[in-house]
Amino acid sequence: MTESISKFKKKILIEVGIKSLFISIFSAIMITSFVLLICKLNGIDLPVYVYCLISFGISLLGTISFYFILKPNDKKIAKRLDQQLELNQKVQTMIDYQDDKSLLAQVQREDTSNRLNTISVKNMKMKFHWALFILPLLAIALLIPSLLIPLNAAPVVTPPEEPTYELDNETILAIRKLIEEVQGRALDEHVKQAYVLELELLITRLGADGVKESQIEGIVKTTIVNENNICKQNTSYQAVAEILKQSEQTAIKSIANAMVKANTEQVDYAFENLRLSLQKTERDEELDSILMAVRKDIGMALKQSEVNQEGELVKSLISFADALSNCIGKGKNTTNTSFNAAMVEVDAAMEKEELIVVTANDIELELRKIFSISGESNDPEDPSKPGSSDVNKEDVNNNQGGFGGNETLYGSDDAFFDPEKGTVKYGDVIKDYHSEIVNMILDGTIPEDKQAYFEEYFEILYGKQTEEE
Amino acid sequence: MENIEQVKLFSNQIEKIKTEIKKDVVGQEDVLDLVIIAIIAGGNVLLEGVPGVGKTRLVRSLGRALHLPFSRIQFTPDLMPSDITGTNIIEKDAQGKMNVVFQKGPIFANLILGDEINRATPKTQSAMLEVMQEHKVTISNVTYPMAEPFFVLATENPVEQDGTYPLPEAQMDRFMFKLIMEFPSLEELKSIVTLTQVTLEETAEAVIDGETILSMRELAKGVPLVDDVLDYAMNLVTITHPELPNASEVAQKYIKYGASPRAGQALITAAKVRALVNGNYNVSYDDINALAYPVLRHRIKTNYNAINEHLSIDDVIGLLIKENKRLCK
């Protein structure tokens, strides 16, 4: 019985498959167009294969889904056959009464089967689904604007092509002049060559093809850093100063503070203070104890430290300490003579290191000037470097004994008392300062034309009483 | 007994009956078909037509073809119920003894022609109720069953309304069909005249008997009916009621009151027979639509709107069918 409608059922299922395919394709076009439209309006530029994948996926899933949604059962097929083939509910009755064993039901099934067998499957026309009319229209309605609407992409800001740096003769000449100046200095040959080599390298780097203007500052700063590294590698004053700072003696601390500035003159002042303090001792025992302390704080500390022992400054300081220790028990005069002799060596070593530092600083200043680079030093830890702290060494040199920009007094690391930052009140040390100044005035360390200045300063603080005291 | 041959011969037997009747009745083929359907379905028919269109002749000829006793009752205003059903009379037997015996009335036949039934008084008309519905007569507490098949074909004249008593609704509902006999066409009229010039007697011969009619009736009851068609038929009956919440627009506009449940029964019973008569083995929407007119025609009453718009009852039924098709699509 059901065999008689199988040919019609097969056709209907094929028809459902075709319908499902078309509905899915149109749905896919519609959805993809919608996605495309949304993406374009939001400036999202998806690759074409993404849209192809969306379409294919929806078509595939849609075909399967719609097939099972639209697939009719036997009753629906029977109803459709009755309607289209004008069979007066024969097929519906046949399906409904397929299990009925009554005579009339059997006759009815037989009659219907016979009728169906005489009808060609071609007589059954395709039944169109409403979606087949609506979806194409919607798909076209969405597809056309989605294709026509331009991508609403945010304008891509193309950065203007960066100009290439052209090394001009003026710059080359300025660097060459700097090289000549460095070569003219009394530096050790290997230090001098290192500085010169780095500057030559700078010219080569700047002259290379494709160097952009924005890269110039970086290249120059690299050179400055390299020059500073050369300076560090060939000096030991900072390491020495760090060790000497640990001394408990004020004179040694002053030497350390002066040394960290790489200023030979200041170092000389500090040593002179030490010499004066030795000369002021009233007893030989007192002198010896100081000499022993100096021996311990300078010589022993440096020997036991990790500082490069081969450095001239370290060697001279150790010799200085040894020379003073040899004076123990020999009195002031011998000590003074030995002190002066040893100081020559220290001075020479310090001057060498200062020249290395000054050269590095000069190179940095000059390079900054040539390339108009301002800003901080590349070596912020080094207070002797220009821009590394609040004090410009050059400015300080031009204003001997003056004050720096904000907090640091040149020639000393003592900070002005700040209620919020400071730890030592000025009032606690002012008496020490005063006594020291009075000594310096008395022994002529302070020139006569500057003495009035100091006297006036302390007179303001203490009044006439101080002088009387 | 049902057998395949009987099923397949059903429509042939109907054709034989029709052929015999056509010997005496010219035209009126639709009426003839529906009368035969009503007889097999066990229903009664109300025939409406002007005098002389062949109503009596149709029934007579039918009786001959079916080989069934025929009885004709002419309804008049003075006709009494006992004139129809019969009455108890005192009769002297051979020994001279007086006995009360029941004298059967003209209703005791298989085919009854109630001529101009609307001329009898309601009292007399009501005497027909029990016999039409239950196929039995009760007189003096004694019930007399009718011989089966029992079939009442009543006629009424739509023209002469004077001295008539409209049939009560309950009685109308007991008629399966109300059929309209149209005035014959010119050709048919010529044939009638020609035919009656030869003889006034019916010439139809018996081609079937009462037993066969009853077995055909039983057979028709088994005709398959799908739920969709049953729903369609019942919905058609339901939408004739303007008072129901889901009343159709047509009913609300044109109908005063709708069809009774008997309409549904008549529709399905007759549709099954019609299917077999037409050589089909299942009931279709066509069967329901075709029978809707004779089944509903006397069961629904149109209101003033229909009269005002010159819509006949058949027009309204046509509208109901159209609406039902839309609702059951």
Side-chain angles (χ1 to χ4, degrees), chain A residues 1 7 64 106-107 116 125 156 197 201 208 225 245 275 281 319 361 378 383-384 391-392 414 423 455:
Chain A
M1 178 249 330
K7 59 181 178 182
I64 295 166
Q106 288 178 40
V107 173
L116 286 172
K125 292 172 185 173
V156 178
L197 190 65
L201 203 59
V225 169
K245 273 184 180 177
R275 191 182 64 79
T281 53
S319 297
N361 291 345
N378 295 303
S384 66
V391 179
N392 189 313
D414 295 341
T423 54
E455 285 170 356

PDB file of all heavy atoms in Angstrom, chain A residues 1 7 64 106-107 116 125 156 197 201 208 225 245 275 281 319 361 378 383-384 391-392 414 423 455:
ATOM      1  N   MET A   1       0.824  -1.182   0.000  1.00  0.00           N
ATOM      2  CA  MET A   1       0.000   0.000   0.000  1.00  0.00           C
ATOM      3  C   MET A   1       0.872   1.250   0.000  1.00  0.00           C
ATOM      4  O   MET A   1       0.709   2.118  -0.846  1.00  0.00           O
ATOM      5  CB  MET A   1      -0.918  -0.047   1.225  1.00  0.00           C
ATOM      6  CG  MET A   1      -1.786   1.120   1.396  1.00  0.00           C
ATOM      7  SD  MET A   1      -1.373   2.145   2.775  1.00  0.00           S
ATOM      8  CE  MET A   1      -0.683   1.074   3.944  1.00  0.00           C
ATOM      9  N   LYS A   7       6.776   6.279  -4.970  1.00  0.00           N
ATOM     10  CA  LYS A   7       7.338   7.065  -6.066  1.00  0.00           C
ATOM     11  C   LYS A   7       7.033   8.558  -5.872  1.00  0.00           C
ATOM     12  O   LYS A   7       7.867   9.419  -6.165  1.00  0.00           O
ATOM     13  CB  LYS A   7       6.827   6.580  -7.419  1.00  0.00           C
ATOM     14  CG  LYS A   7       5.318   6.628  -7.588  1.00  0.00           C
ATOM     15  CD  LYS A   7       4.895   6.111  -8.946  1.00  0.00           C
ATOM     16  CE  LYS A   7       3.385   6.122  -9.092  1.00  0.00           C
ATOM     17  NZ  LYS A   7       2.945   5.582 -10.382  1.00  0.00           N
ATOM     18  N   ILE A  64      20.590  20.824   5.939  1.00  0.00           N
ATOM     19  CA  ILE A  64      20.264  19.651   6.781  1.00  0.00           C
ATOM     20  C   ILE A  64      19.083  19.974   7.689  1.00  0.00           C
ATOM     21  O   ILE A  64      18.125  19.198   7.790  1.00  0.00           O
ATOM     22  CB  ILE A  64      21.497  19.239   7.617  1.00  0.00           C
ATOM     23  CG1 ILE A  64      22.612  18.769   6.673  1.00  0.00           C
ATOM     24  CG2 ILE A  64      21.146  18.142   8.595  1.00  0.00           C
ATOM     25  CD1 ILE A  64      23.975  18.646   7.320  1.00  0.00           C
ATOM     26  N   GLN A 106     -10.107  -2.599   2.971  1.00  0.00           N
ATOM     27  CA  GLN A 106      -9.227  -3.317   2.039  1.00  0.00           C
ATOM     28  C   GLN A 106      -9.528  -2.934   0.592  1.00  0.00           C
ATOM     29  O   GLN A 106      -8.616  -2.697  -0.209  1.00  0.00           O
ATOM     30  CB  GLN A 106      -9.413  -4.827   2.210  1.00  0.00           C
ATOM     31  CG  GLN A 106      -8.820  -5.359   3.512  1.00  0.00           C
ATOM     32  CD  GLN A 106      -9.074  -6.843   3.678  1.00  0.00           C
ATOM     33  OE1 GLN A 106      -8.982  -7.605   2.714  1.00  0.00           O
ATOM     34  NE2 GLN A 106      -9.417  -7.248   4.888  1.00  0.00           N
ATOM     35  N   VAL A 107     -10.831  -2.885   0.302  1.00  0.00           N
ATOM     36  CA  VAL A 107     -11.227  -2.511  -1.063  1.00  0.00           C
ATOM     37  C   VAL A 107     -10.763  -1.083  -1.366  1.00  0.00           C
ATOM     38  O   VAL A 107     -10.286  -0.788  -2.467  1.00  0.00           O
ATOM     39  CB  VAL A 107     -12.759  -2.644  -1.225  1.00  0.00           C
ATOM     40  CG1 VAL A 107     -13.209  -2.110  -2.579  1.00  0.00           C
ATOM     41  CG2 VAL A 107     -13.177  -4.083  -1.067  1.00  0.00           C
ATOM     42  N   LEU A 116      -3.423   5.170  -7.937  1.00  0.00           N
ATOM     43  CA  LEU A 116      -2.091   5.776  -7.865  1.00  0.00           C
ATOM     44  C   LEU A 116      -1.145   5.169  -8.898  1.00  0.00           C
ATOM     45  O   LEU A 116      -0.311   5.867  -9.474  1.00  0.00           O
ATOM     46  CB  LEU A 116      -1.501   5.594  -6.462  1.00  0.00           C
ATOM     47  CG  LEU A 116      -2.088   6.481  -5.370  1.00  0.00           C
ATOM     48  CD1 LEU A 116      -1.549   6.066  -4.006  1.00  0.00           C
ATOM     49  CD2 LEU A 116      -1.766   7.951  -5.616  1.00  0.00           C
ATOM     50  N   LYS A 125       2.819  18.360  -9.298  1.00  0.00           N
ATOM     51  CA  LYS A 125       3.609  19.567  -9.529  1.00  0.00           C
ATOM     52  C   LYS A 125       4.330  19.976  -8.249  1.00  0.00           C
ATOM     53  O   LYS A 125       3.901  19.641  -7.152  1.00  0.00           O
ATOM     54  CB  LYS A 125       2.696  20.712  -9.992  1.00  0.00           C
ATOM     55  CG  LYS A 125       2.116  20.473 -11.369  1.00  0.00           C
ATOM     56  CD  LYS A 125       1.090  21.522 -11.710  1.00  0.00           C
ATOM     57  CE  LYS A 125       0.423  21.189 -13.037  1.00  0.00           C
ATOM     58  NZ  LYS A 125      -0.692  22.094 -13.336  1.00  0.00           N
ATOM     59  N   VAL A 156      43.347  55.660   7.681  1.00  0.00           N
ATOM     60  CA  VAL A 156      44.637  55.167   8.147  1.00  0.00           C
ATOM     61  C   VAL A 156      45.650  56.313   8.054  1.00  0.00           C
ATOM     62  O   VAL A 156      45.871  56.880   6.985  1.00  0.00           O
ATOM     63  CB  VAL A 156      45.106  53.987   7.272  1.00  0.00           C
ATOM     64  CG1 VAL A 156      46.474  53.510   7.721  1.00  0.00           C
ATOM     65  CG2 VAL A 156      44.094  52.871   7.342  1.00  0.00           C
ATOM     66  N   LEU A 197      88.624  56.681  18.943  1.00  0.00           N
ATOM     67  CA  LEU A 197      88.004  55.598  18.167  1.00  0.00           C
ATOM     68  C   LEU A 197      86.475  55.679  18.245  1.00  0.00           C
ATOM     69  O   LEU A 197      85.766  55.502  17.244  1.00  0.00           O
ATOM     70  CB  LEU A 197      88.483  54.252  18.715  1.00  0.00           C
ATOM     71  CG  LEU A 197      88.121  53.032  17.871  1.00  0.00           C
ATOM     72  CD1 LEU A 197      88.832  53.077  16.520  1.00  0.00           C
ATOM     73  CD2 LEU A 197      88.517  51.749  18.616  1.00  0.00           C
ATOM     74  N   LEU A 201      83.995  56.301  15.216  1.00  0.00           N
ATOM     75  CA  LEU A 201      82.881  55.368  15.012  1.00  0.00           C
ATOM     76  C   LEU A 201      81.568  56.126  14.871  1.00  0.00           C
ATOM     77  O   LEU A 201      80.673  55.746  14.095  1.00  0.00           O
ATOM     78  CB  LEU A 201      82.808  54.401  16.192  1.00  0.00           C
ATOM     79  CG  LEU A 201      82.118  53.060  15.941  1.00  0.00           C
ATOM     80  CD1 LEU A 201      82.814  52.283  14.824  1.00  0.00           C
ATOM     81  CD2 LEU A 201      82.137  52.209  17.217  1.00  0.00           C
ATOM     82  N   ALA A 208      76.259  56.352   7.750  1.00  0.00           N
ATOM     83  CA  ALA A 208      75.726  55.127   7.144  1.00  0.00           C
ATOM     84  C   ALA A 208      74.440  55.431   6.382  1.00  0.00           C
ATOM     85  O   ALA A 208      73.710  56.368   6.698  1.00  0.00           O
ATOM     86  CB  ALA A 208      75.473  54.089   8.234  1.00  0.00           C
ATOM     87  N   VAL A 225      77.445  57.334  26.051  1.00  0.00           N
ATOM     88  CA  VAL A 225      77.495  56.247  27.040  1.00  0.00           C
ATOM     89  C   VAL A 225      78.808  55.488  26.900  1.00  0.00           C
ATOM     90  O   VAL A 225      79.474  55.164  27.900  1.00  0.00           O
ATOM     91  CB  VAL A 225      76.274  55.311  26.859  1.00  0.00           C
ATOM     92  CG1 VAL A 225      76.448  54.032  27.686  1.00  0.00           C
ATOM     93  CG2 VAL A 225      74.996  56.016  27.273  1.00  0.00           C
ATOM     94  N   LYS A 245      84.951  56.886  52.261  1.00  0.00           N
ATOM     95  CA  LYS A 245      83.774  57.444  52.946  1.00  0.00           C
ATOM     96  C   LYS A 245      83.435  56.686  54.219  1.00  0.00           C
ATOM     97  O   LYS A 245      82.770  57.175  55.109  1.00  0.00           O
ATOM     98  CB  LYS A 245      82.554  57.395  52.016  1.00  0.00           C
ATOM     99  CG  LYS A 245      82.423  58.603  51.121  1.00  0.00           C
ATOM    100  CD  LYS A 245      81.126  58.505  50.318  1.00  0.00           C
ATOM    101  CE  LYS A 245      80.981  59.715  49.420  1.00  0.00           C
ATOM    102  NZ  LYS A 245      79.769  59.596  48.594  1.00  0.00           N
ATOM    103  N   ARG A 275      96.801  67.523  56.396  1.00  0.00           N
ATOM    104  CA  ARG A 275      98.161  67.909  56.773  1.00  0.00           C
ATOM    105  C   ARG A 275      98.136  68.904  57.935  1.00  0.00           C
ATOM    106  O   ARG A 275      98.900  68.774  58.900  1.00  0.00           O
ATOM    107  CB  ARG A 275      98.884  68.542  55.575  1.00  0.00           C
ATOM    108  CG  ARG A 275     100.392  68.743  55.765  1.00  0.00           C
ATOM    109  CD  ARG A 275     100.990  69.418  54.548  1.00  0.00           C
ATOM    110  NE  ARG A 275     100.476  70.749  54.353  1.00  0.00           N
ATOM    111  CZ  ARG A 275     100.903  71.821  55.056  1.00  0.00           C
ATOM    112  NH1 ARG A 275     101.819  71.705  56.001  1.00  0.00           N
ATOM    113  NH2 ARG A 275     100.384  72.995  54.803  1.00  0.00           N
ATOM    114  N   THR A 281      98.761  68.895  65.923  1.00  0.00           N
ATOM    115  CA  THR A 281      98.879  68.030  67.109  1.00  0.00           C
ATOM    116  C   THR A 281      99.946  68.582  68.028  1.00  0.00           C
ATOM    117  O   THR A 281     100.992  69.070  67.574  1.00  0.00           O
ATOM    118  CB  THR A 281      99.258  66.600  66.687  1.00  0.00           C
ATOM    119  OG1 THR A 281     100.416  66.659  65.859  1.00  0.00           O
ATOM    120  CG2 THR A 281      98.112  65.941  65.939  1.00  0.00           C
ATOM    121  N   SER A 319     100.742  54.153  48.755  1.00  0.00           N
ATOM    122  CA  SER A 319     102.098  54.666  49.027  1.00  0.00           C
ATOM    123  C   SER A 319     102.049  55.801  50.031  1.00  0.00           C
ATOM    124  O   SER A 319     102.892  55.905  50.940  1.00  0.00           O
ATOM    125  CB  SER A 319     102.735  55.180  47.725  1.00  0.00           C
ATOM    126  OG  SER A 319     102.870  54.136  46.825  1.00  0.00           O
ATOM    127  N   ASN A 361      83.582  64.369  29.908  1.00  0.00           N
ATOM    128  CA  ASN A 361      82.545  65.394  30.067  1.00  0.00           C
ATOM    129  C   ASN A 361      82.563  66.371  28.907  1.00  0.00           C
ATOM    130  O   ASN A 361      81.501  66.780  28.398  1.00  0.00           O
ATOM    131  CB  ASN A 361      82.743  66.155  31.380  1.00  0.00           C
ATOM    132  CG  ASN A 361      82.454  65.286  32.594  1.00  0.00           C
ATOM    133  OD1 ASN A 361      81.850  64.220  32.441  1.00  0.00           O
ATOM    134  ND2 ASN A 361      82.872  65.713  33.756  1.00  0.00           N
ATOM    135  N   ASN A 378      73.550  60.377  30.623  1.00  0.00           N
ATOM    136  CA  ASN A 378      73.331  58.957  30.447  1.00  0.00           C
ATOM    137  C   ASN A 378      73.938  58.157  31.583  1.00  0.00           C
ATOM    138  O   ASN A 378      73.828  56.960  31.634  1.00  0.00           O
ATOM    139  CB  ASN A 378      73.929  58.505  29.115  1.00  0.00           C
ATOM    140  CG  ASN A 378      73.196  59.157  27.970  1.00  0.00           C
ATOM    141  OD1 ASN A 378      71.983  59.031  27.840  1.00  0.00           O
ATOM    142  ND2 ASN A 378      73.937  59.908  27.176  1.00  0.00           N
ATOM    143  N   PRO A 383      77.889  61.922  39.705  1.00  0.00           N
ATOM    144  CA  PRO A 383      77.578  63.331  39.945  1.00  0.00           C
ATOM    145  C   PRO A 383      78.528  64.275  39.239  1.00  0.00           C
ATOM    146  O   PRO A 383      78.263  65.457  39.138  1.00  0.00           O
ATOM    147  CB  PRO A 383      77.694  63.464  41.463  1.00  0.00           C
ATOM    148  CG  PRO A 383      78.562  62.352  41.898  1.00  0.00           C
ATOM    149  CD  PRO A 383      78.387  61.247  40.919  1.00  0.00           C
ATOM    150  N   SER A 384      79.632  63.738  38.749  1.00  0.00           N
ATOM    151  CA  SER A 384      80.588  64.608  38.061  1.00  0.00           C
ATOM    152  C   SER A 384      80.167  64.878  36.638  1.00  0.00           C
ATOM    153  O   SER A 384      80.717  65.730  35.966  1.00  0.00           O
ATOM    154  CB  SER A 384      81.976  63.969  38.066  1.00  0.00           C
ATOM    155  OG  SER A 384      81.957  62.798  37.281  1.00  0.00           O
ATOM    156  N   VAL A 391      74.025  70.135  39.596  1.00  0.00           N
ATOM    157  CA  VAL A 391      75.153  71.050  39.416  1.00  0.00           C
ATOM    158  C   VAL A 391      75.875  70.749  38.122  1.00  0.00           C
ATOM    159  O   VAL A 391      76.182  69.600  37.827  1.00  0.00           O
ATOM    160  CB  VAL A 391      76.148  70.908  40.589  1.00  0.00           C
ATOM    161  CG1 VAL A 391      77.331  71.837  40.387  1.00  0.00           C
ATOM    162  CG2 VAL A 391      75.434  71.230  41.883  1.00  0.00           C
ATOM    163  N   ASN A 392      76.079  71.783  37.381  1.00  0.00           N
ATOM    164  CA  ASN A 392      76.894  71.640  36.188  1.00  0.00           C
ATOM    165  C   ASN A 392      78.327  71.976  36.557  1.00  0.00           C
ATOM    166  O   ASN A 392      78.615  73.058  37.070  1.00  0.00           O
ATOM    167  CB  ASN A 392      76.365  72.610  35.116  1.00  0.00           C
ATOM    168  CG  ASN A 392      77.026  72.350  33.781  1.00  0.00           C
ATOM    169  OD1 ASN A 392      78.250  72.221  33.732  1.00  0.00           O
ATOM    170  ND2 ASN A 392      76.231  72.275  32.753  1.00  0.00           N
ATOM    171  N   ASP A 414      77.518  67.782  52.028  1.00  0.00           N
ATOM    172  CA  ASP A 414      76.537  68.102  53.067  1.00  0.00           C
ATOM    173  C   ASP A 414      75.306  68.745  52.469  1.00  0.00           C
ATOM    174  O   ASP A 414      75.389  69.662  51.663  1.00  0.00           O
ATOM    175  CB  ASP A 414      77.165  69.088  54.074  1.00  0.00           C
ATOM    176  CG  ASP A 414      78.308  68.448  54.803  1.00  0.00           C
ATOM    177  OD1 ASP A 414      78.372  67.182  54.799  1.00  0.00           O
ATOM    178  OD2 ASP A 414      79.133  69.193  55.363  1.00  0.00           O
ATOM    179  N   THR A 423      68.357  64.925  57.972  1.00  0.00           N
ATOM    180  CA  THR A 423      68.427  64.102  59.182  1.00  0.00           C
ATOM    181  C   THR A 423      69.272  64.785  60.268  1.00  0.00           C
ATOM    182  O   THR A 423      69.164  64.457  61.438  1.00  0.00           O
ATOM    183  CB  THR A 423      69.041  62.735  58.860  1.00  0.00           C
ATOM    184  OG1 THR A 423      70.298  62.938  58.219  1.00  0.00           O
ATOM    185  CG2 THR A 423      68.140  61.919  57.938  1.00  0.00           C
ATOM    186  N   GLU A 455      83.692  85.821  58.552  1.00  0.00           N
ATOM    187  CA  GLU A 455      83.458  86.459  59.858  1.00  0.00           C
ATOM    188  C   GLU A 455      82.071  87.096  59.901  1.00  0.00           C
ATOM    189  O   GLU A 455      81.349  86.966  60.893  1.00  0.00           O
ATOM    190  CB  GLU A 455      84.538  87.550  60.114  1.00  0.00           C
ATOM    191  CG  GLU A 455      85.898  86.950  60.488  1.00  0.00           C
ATOM    192  CD  GLU A 455      87.029  87.983  60.507  1.00  0.00           C
ATOM    193  OE1 GLU A 455      86.764  89.158  60.150  1.00  0.00           O
ATOM    194  OE2 GLU A 455      88.137  87.604  60.868  1.00  0.00           O
TER     195      GLU A 455
END
